Every structure is written in structure tokens, then in C-alpha cells.
Amino acid sequence: MEQVLTSLPVTQPFANRVLGTPYVQTAEQLQTLQINVGLRCNLACTHCHLYCSPARSEMMSLETMRHCLRVAQSNGIKRLDITGGAPELNPHVPTLIMEASDAGMHIMFRSNLAVWDDEDYSAFPEFLAKHNVEVIASLPCYTQDNTDEQRGDGVFGKIISSLRRLNALGYGLKPELLLNLVYNPGGAFLPPPQEDLESDYKKILLEQYGIVFNKLFTLTNNPSGRFAQFLEQSGELKEYMQCLELGFNADTLPMIMCRTQMSVAWDGTLYDCDFNLALGLRANVRENIADIKGSVPVHDIRFSDHCYGCTAGSGSSCGGVVV
């Protein structure tokens, strides 16, 4: 297991930024339940905050998935955000999607798309389309060199092939088949303005590959996991943390995703977000999704200095910028 970096070089602890504001607790109504169904992945990306890779074996059980659905329904949570690892590698995910679809939930599915090149997972595009699942696809750059540098040799070509399959099914074209892309910076810098980069992505992907999509989400690389380790080894950790700290924007606080979203780890443990999951910062509620029998209580959010990654500039969330 790779070493988790927990000490970050900042001059003002992040918690001091939110003390005295009304944003230290979750909202009364959670909107999204994010389920991390496992840490096994076909890739081992340089920016991954969870150290996912083909060597990981952690997988969520079907029983835990059903506890997630039960809690979502009893709390009026309408959105289910399925992530990993590569969620396709968990054999129970199709059952989760079918049961969530039957319950009338809006399902978001995060994929690196390259996994669909494997015959064992090649039927996922048609399956997702059948259940009107929103696909959120990682594409770090619209160029082959930059994408392959972050994700591995040959990944860009596999992603382009999968995007074409999705378009052929109506994704990005039919209103019920949403296709959104995700951009992560290739180094120790903030993402460019989301709207401008989205225009570039749409123009180049259409002109060069005939691909269309709905929205582009720009995500700031969080200083945790494999990316924090990369920053430390390259001597850029202090500079990057200064960039995030100096870029702190208080206007992002009402919109940060941990206020309206709960994350569930593969073993059912509860976290305020996937980045807290990476650092083992459990939510201030009951320890496991199976233990929640009624409402998820309003609770204090667990902040640490990696939270600067979500509040710098225009902010960052699983749905892109927040302001």
C-alpha cells in the first residue's frame, strides 16, 4: 500500500477559514449519495487521490449497495453517483443500477471509458443507455500525448472509441442521455476557466473526431493520495499548497459538495466526500451506512488542509466549478 501523505504545508489551517461561517455543517437535505464501489481499476493514474490500480481488491458487496439505496430513499436523496476505481470492475454494479433505476433515481456513472475496450466490460454503453444513466467520462485532455501521460499509453485512443460508441447510442444528443466529460490538470496548477475550456473541447473533439458531449467539468487536482505523493517527490508540494491557499474563495463555501453530498466507501463507511475517504477522515455520523435506520443527521463537516483544493478560484466539485 502506498504511503498516505497527511501533513500539508499551509500558513493558515483550512478550518480557520470556515470557523464563524454558517457552512461548517451539512445542509438539512442531502441531494446526492456518492457510492465508491471499489478501489480496483484498470488504470493507475498519476493524479488519483485513492491509489486505485489493477492491484487493488477492495469491492463493495451487494448487501452494502442495497443499504445505500435504502438510506437514499428514506432520506429523499434523488441522485446516485457511482464511482471507483473503475466501477465496471465490481460485478454487482449492474444490479445496483437496475434497482436504483426502478426506484426512480437519477444515476450518474463515472468511467475512465478505457475499460470498455476489455471484452468483459464492452456491453456497458448499451446497458447504461437502456437505463438512461448519465455518463461522466474522464478525458484529461483533447490531445493524445497529454492524456496518455496522465493515464497510460494507448488510453486516449480507447477513450475516443468509447465516446464514439456513446454518441452512436444517442449520448450527448438525446436529452435523456447525458454525456459529460471531466478535465484534470496535468500538473501542479489550477484548471483554466471551465467555460473557455469547454468551448475548446467541443470544437476540437467535433472537428477531429466527430464527437459531441453536453458539459465539461474542470476539477482541481486534490493534494491527496498519489497526486500529493507526486508533488512531494517533485518538490512542488509547498508551491502547490500556496497556490491553493492564496486562491481561497469564500464565495465557494455555500456550494462546496460536502454540504449536500454524502460519500460511502466500498465497506460502507461514511465520509463527507471522496477526498476525506482517501485520507480516512470519517464523517461525524454513524460509522457505517448499514447503521443508519432513519434520517441522516445534520452534522459538522470534517475539514482539513486538502479542502483548499475545493475552494480555490472558482471552486471544484464532482460537478465542476461551483461559482
Side-chain angles (χ1 to χ4, degrees):
M1 175 66 181
E2 294 158 280
Q3 182 180 2
V4 176
L5 183 65
T6 57
S7 178
L8 297 173
V10 297
T11 58
Q12 183 175 0
F14 182 84
N16 291 349
R17 299 282 196 178
V18 296
L19 291 176
T21 77
Y23 309 119
V24 296
Q25 290 188 325
T26 57
E28 290 187 9
Q29 176 61 58
L30 295 179
Q31 299 173 2
T32 305
L33 189 67
Q34 185 174 72
I35 303 178
N36 190 306
V37 298
L39 302 183
R40 187 174 171 225
C41 188
N42 56 309
L43 305 177
C45 302
T46 58
H47 71 285
C48 183
H49 59 283
L50 286 166
Y51 294 113
C52 298
S53 77
R56 302 299 293 267
S57 59
E58 298 92 331
M59 290 283 185
M60 182 177 282
S61 68
L62 182 58
E63 180 183 13
T64 299
M65 291 178 182
R66 285 176 169 156
H67 281 303
C68 292
L69 290 178
R70 172 182 57 77
V71 170
Q73 290 179 280
S74 64
N75 282 269
I77 299 172
K78 303 298 185 183
R79 288 199 296 261
L80 194 69
D81 187 345
I82 302 173
T83 185
E88 294 92 340
L89 302 188
N90 187 314
H92 304 303
V93 160
T95 301
L96 171 64
I97 289 174
M98 288 187 289
E99 294 185 2
S101 179
D102 290 343
M105 299 192 71
H106 176 75
I107 306 165
M108 298 178 288
F109 188 84
R110 297 181 185 271
S111 177
N112 62 49
L113 298 190
V115 69
W116 297 349
D117 186 65
D118 187 318
E119 185 177 354
D120 289 341
Y121 310 105
S122 62
F124 259 89
E126 289 77 12
F127 174 76
L128 297 175
K130 178 181 178 181
H131 295 281
N132 292 337
V133 174
E134 175 184 347
V135 174
I136 302 176
S138 179
L139 182 59
C141 188
Y142 45 68
T143 67
Q144 178 176 342
D145 289 347
N146 287 342
T147 297
D148 285 358
E149 182 178 359
Q150 187 180 115
R151 303 238 140 178
D153 291 342
V155 169
F156 181 78
K158 295 176 182 178
I159 293 174
I160 293 299
S161 176
S162 293
L163 287 173
R164 285 172 168 159
R165 287 185 63 190
L166 288 169
N167 280 172
L169 291 167
Y171 271 98
L173 299 165
K174 297 179 180 179
E176 69 274 18
L177 294 178
L178 296 176
L179 173 59
N180 298 316
L181 304 185
V182 174
Y183 162 86
N184 291 90
F189 50 87
L190 294 178
Q194 181 169 286
E195 185 175 344
D196 294 344
L197 189 60
E198 180 180 282
S199 296
D200 292 341
Y201 262 68
K202 286 190 171 182
K203 181 176 185 293
I204 292 171
L205 290 178
L206 179 61
E207 291 179 352
Q208 296 189 12
Y209 305 103
I211 289 169
V212 297
F213 63 95
N214 295 104
K215 294 181 180 179
L216 177 73
F217 301 151
T218 58
L219 270 63
T220 300
N221 284 331
N222 194 271
S224 57
R226 197 174 285 136
F227 185 67
Q229 192 174 58
F230 158 76
L231 292 172
E232 187 177 43
Q233 292 172 348
S234 64
E236 298 178 277
L237 180 60
K238 183 177 181 179
E239 182 180 354
Y240 186 65
M241 290 307 303
Q242 288 176 340
C243 173
L244 297 182
E245 186 178 358
L246 290 172
F248 173 77
N249 181 358
D251 290 341
T252 63
L253 293 178
M255 308 294 290
I256 49 178
M257 59 185 173
C258 52
R259 298 201 67 241
T260 57
Q261 174 177 298
M262 177 72 72
S263 291
V264 188
W266 66 273
D267 60 356
T269 308
L270 298 169
Y271 298 87
D272 292 311
C273 71
D274 210 46
F275 301 124
N276 280 8
L277 188 160
L279 294 173
L281 299 176
R282 296 183 176 185
N284 288 310
V285 292
R286 292 178 178 84
E287 289 191 353
N288 197 283
I289 192 77
D291 299 327
I292 295 182
K293 304 304 181 185
S295 299
V296 177
V298 174
H299 59 275
D300 290 343
I301 299 167
R302 293 195 67 180
F303 295 113
S304 190
D305 294 335
H306 68 290
C307 298
Y308 277 117
C310 291
T311 57
S314 297
S316 181
S317 74
C318 289
V321 300
V322 299
V323 295

